[in-house]
Amino acid sequence: MSVGSVGDEVREGTPPQQSLGTAAARNLASTTKSAPQMQEISSRWLLRALPWVHVQGGTYRVNRRLSYAVGDGRVTFVQTGERVAVIPAELGELPALRGFEDPEVLAELASRCVQREYAAGAVIATRGDAADRVHLLAHGRVEQIGAGPYEDETVLGVLADGAYFGEDALVAEDAAWAWTARAATACTVLELSRTDVLNLAERAGALAGHLAEYAALPHQRTNPYGEAVIDLSAGHVGEAVVPHTFVDYEASPREYGLSVAQTVLKVHTRVADLYNHPMNQTEHQLRLTVQALRERQEHELVNHREFGLLSNCDYGQRIQPHDGVPGPDDMDELLSRRRDSKLFLAHPQAIAAFGRELNRRGLVPDTIDVDGTRIMTWRGVPIYPCDKIPVTDARTTSIICMRTGESDQGVIGLHQPGLPDEVEPGLSCRFMGINEQAIISYLVTAYYSAAVLVPDALGVLENVEVGRRH
């Protein structure tokens, strides 16, 4: 291109440049930079609210008074199309079959369960009628209807997926329904009759012997919590004989071992040497790695099958919402199950659903200031958000309520401080060396667990619906 043509382009286009351009000037300027950001970081209220107990030797043992298990677990089912079947081994959750492990007999019992469908409002069992079968609730909600003081109806409780009722009918010929079972929603129920169990017991000697042993068990003297009773005397006059007693302990108390979350952080020496100003690359790599480990720690404390809060809640402390959505009545019932509740833990969507229900009823919840953040409360108990509580595809989740603290027989977090190369309590970063590719390795480790000291310290409101209703 000729000089003349260039001059022609300048005259025909924009005016000639009179000063240094910004693109060139940036080559002589230094930018202001933020530290590396991370969207995964959450408020982690559970880690902040739990009191943490120091554990030596990696294990925490929970000693309790002796209590008697009565087989009050949940039953699990498998579904193939419209057909539902109970997993044979899960029949061992029924009190009369607890400890019975013959797989062939259990499979035969499972095959004799009859599937029935009940529409919403249908009566499954009527109070006062003879009970001759156990009902296994595969799907749906069932209301337990009792008689009020003036012969009106009162809802005693709500049962949901995995529950069973009528278990006494398997061994007691004179068993009768103490309450009416009515389907609150469409329900799928499997029914196992006493007749089928007894007919099978005539051919299976092991089952007959197990049922006979169960029927012959003496009635254990317990308090309302299932613990071995402590004999006391009060209000007597004269020279009454004072009862003798002792406090019995569990022979095999539960032990919680510390779980671990680990990763190997790698940083190239060239990066650490040449690109370490104005921000320390290793420091920020470690900071974000620690954040990810803490997020995993909170997730495990909620969802782990061995020590997670959702898995370790006693079945007697699990309740169902009466209308599906979380309402004030459900939260009150959750509070009534334990003394001195310290906090609720709920998914943000569950908190929003609870807020909508309060708005519908014209109620305004109180709030408190926690570390500069306004937190909604119910009856003075803060409701902390926790996105680690799962929300199912059916738009249901759970709300956790707990009492905390070792001195209050509550829920506690477990960790072991004083680790070598510790960067935070219970979390260490140990140098592992430099390999042949000049890459530095650091082992980043977090040790943690949680323990429920007594069953009523932790309660869960299950199957909470978080979708909007029209």
Side-chain angles (χ1 to χ4, degrees):
M1 185 178 291
S2 65
V3 175
S5 64
V6 172
D8 292 341
E9 287 183 7
V10 172
R11 284 193 298 270
E12 295 175 0
T14 59
Q17 182 175 326
Q18 302 182 46
S19 63
L20 179 66
T22 56
R26 287 190 60 189
N27 294 328
L28 299 182
S30 60
T31 60
T32 301
K33 297 170 283 293
S34 74
Q37 306 298 302
M38 182 175 177
Q39 190 171 341
E40 184 184 7
I41 298 174
S42 65
S43 54
R44 298 198 294 267
W45 285 109
L46 176 59
L47 299 188
R48 295 155 65 177
L50 271 184
W52 291 90
V53 174
H54 298 178
V55 174
Q56 300 299 323
T59 303
Y60 185 89
R61 179 181 298 158
V62 178
N63 290 304
R64 293 177 179 170
R65 279 178 59 186
L66 178 65
S67 59
Y68 299 102
V70 294
D72 56 353
R74 292 286 178 89
V75 180
T76 305
F77 304 85
V78 292
Q79 183 176 1
T80 306
E82 295 184 351
R83 174 159 178 77
V84 176
V86 62
I87 297 176
E90 291 293 307
L91 291 175
E93 294 292 345
L94 301 177
L97 299 176
R98 195 173 188 84
F100 184 73
E101 299 178 351
D102 190 319
E104 295 183 359
V105 176
L106 290 176
E108 177 69 17
L109 286 174
S111 68
R112 298 192 179 200
C113 292
V114 179
Q115 179 176 339
R116 300 193 186 279
E117 305 290 336
Y118 293 93
V123 175
I124 302 174
T126 303
R127 181 171 62 94
D129 288 355
D132 64 346
R133 64 194 62 226
V134 60
H135 299 264
L136 311 176
L137 182 55
H139 181 67
R141 290 204 312 270
V142 172
E143 293 179 333
Q144 299 171 287
I145 308 298
Y150 304 104
E151 295 302 321
D152 55 342
E153 288 187 352
T154 180
V155 179
L156 304 177
V158 180
L159 304 176
D161 303 10
Y164 58 83
F165 50 97
E167 61 275 11
D168 292 339
L170 295 184
V171 292
E173 295 183 2
D174 57 348
W177 290 104
W179 39 266
T180 296
R182 185 169 63 198
T185 64
C187 294
T188 300
V189 179
L190 298 185
E191 298 178 357
L192 178 62
S193 69
R194 180 173 65 244
T195 301
D196 284 336
V197 174
L198 296 181
N199 287 342
L200 181 59
E202 292 179 358
R203 296 188 290 106
L207 177 60
H210 182 85
L211 294 176
E213 290 180 5
Y214 176 80
L217 285 176
H219 177 68
Q220 304 288 354
R221 298 177 60 241
T222 63
N223 62 17
Y225 304 98
E227 298 171 328
V229 72
I230 298 176
D231 290 323
L232 302 172
S233 177
H236 59 268
V237 296
E239 299 179 350
V241 176
V242 178
H244 297 241
T245 191
F246 66 96
V247 181
D248 206 354
Y249 300 139
E250 289 184 349
S252 301
R254 179 171 180 179
E255 294 185 346
Y256 292 85
L258 292 183
S259 184
V260 60
Q262 286 181 314
T263 188
V264 176
L265 173 63
K266 294 188 175 183
V267 181
H268 201 288
T269 53
R270 186 187 307 118
V271 172
D273 293 342
L274 303 181
Y275 304 98
N276 232 26
H277 185 78
M279 296 185 185
N280 187 300
Q281 295 280 2
T282 304
E283 176 183 323
H284 285 285
Q285 288 281 301
L286 177 60
R287 177 179 63 85
L288 297 182
T289 302
V290 168
Q291 293 286 350
L293 280 175
R294 290 306 192 195
E295 292 291 329
R296 173 59 66 87
Q297 176 180 350
E298 185 174 67
H299 180 275
E300 296 289 284
L301 290 177
V302 172
N303 298 288
H304 197 278
R305 294 184 61 86
E306 293 297 325
F307 59 84
L309 299 180
L310 292 178
S311 299
N312 279 270
C313 181
D314 186 84
Y315 287 114
Q317 297 296 326
R318 299 173 187 253
I319 62 175
Q320 306 296 323
H322 286 84
D323 297 321
V325 296
D329 304 335
D330 303 313
M331 301 292 273
D332 284 342
E333 185 172 354
L334 196 56
L335 285 175
S336 71
R337 297 297 183 98
R338 66 202 41 79
R339 57 178 172 83
D340 198 21
S341 298
K342 288 294 192 299
L343 61 97
F344 291 103
L345 206 64
H347 193 280
Q349 294 183 24
I351 297 177
F354 180 56
R356 290 194 296 269
E357 189 65 15
L358 293 180
N359 293 338
R360 189 180 69 84
R361 302 190 186 193
L363 301 176
V364 179
D366 293 331
T367 61
I368 60 173
D369 184 277
V370 181
D371 298 335
T373 302
R374 302 301 300 182
I375 298 294
M376 180 194 298
T377 67
W378 181 250
R379 306 296 189 194
V381 180
I383 307 175
Y384 292 112
C386 178
D387 62 354
K388 311 306 186 301
I389 300 177
V391 177
T392 67
D393 294 338
R395 307 295 292 163
T396 62
T397 184
S398 300
I399 296 178
I400 299 172
C401 181
M402 69 179 85
R403 180 177 67 248
T404 60
E406 196 173 26
S407 61
D408 215 9
Q409 299 186 118
V411 181
I412 58 174
L414 306 175
H415 69 170
Q416 184 167 330
L419 299 171
D421 302 314
E422 190 173 61
V423 294
E424 291 183 6
L427 190 148
S428 66
C429 177
R430 309 184 74 171
F431 176 70
M432 296 178 63
I434 305 175
N435 66 10
E436 295 178 353
Q437 286 78 37
I439 296 177
I440 309 172
S441 297
Y442 300 91
L443 178 64
V444 189
T445 306
Y447 296 101
Y448 54 85
S449 187
V452 182
L453 298 187
V454 294
D456 75 344
L458 176 65
V460 175
L461 179 64
E462 297 183 313
N463 299 316
V464 172
E465 298 176 8
V466 298
R468 287 183 176 271
R469 288 188 171 185
H470 296 287

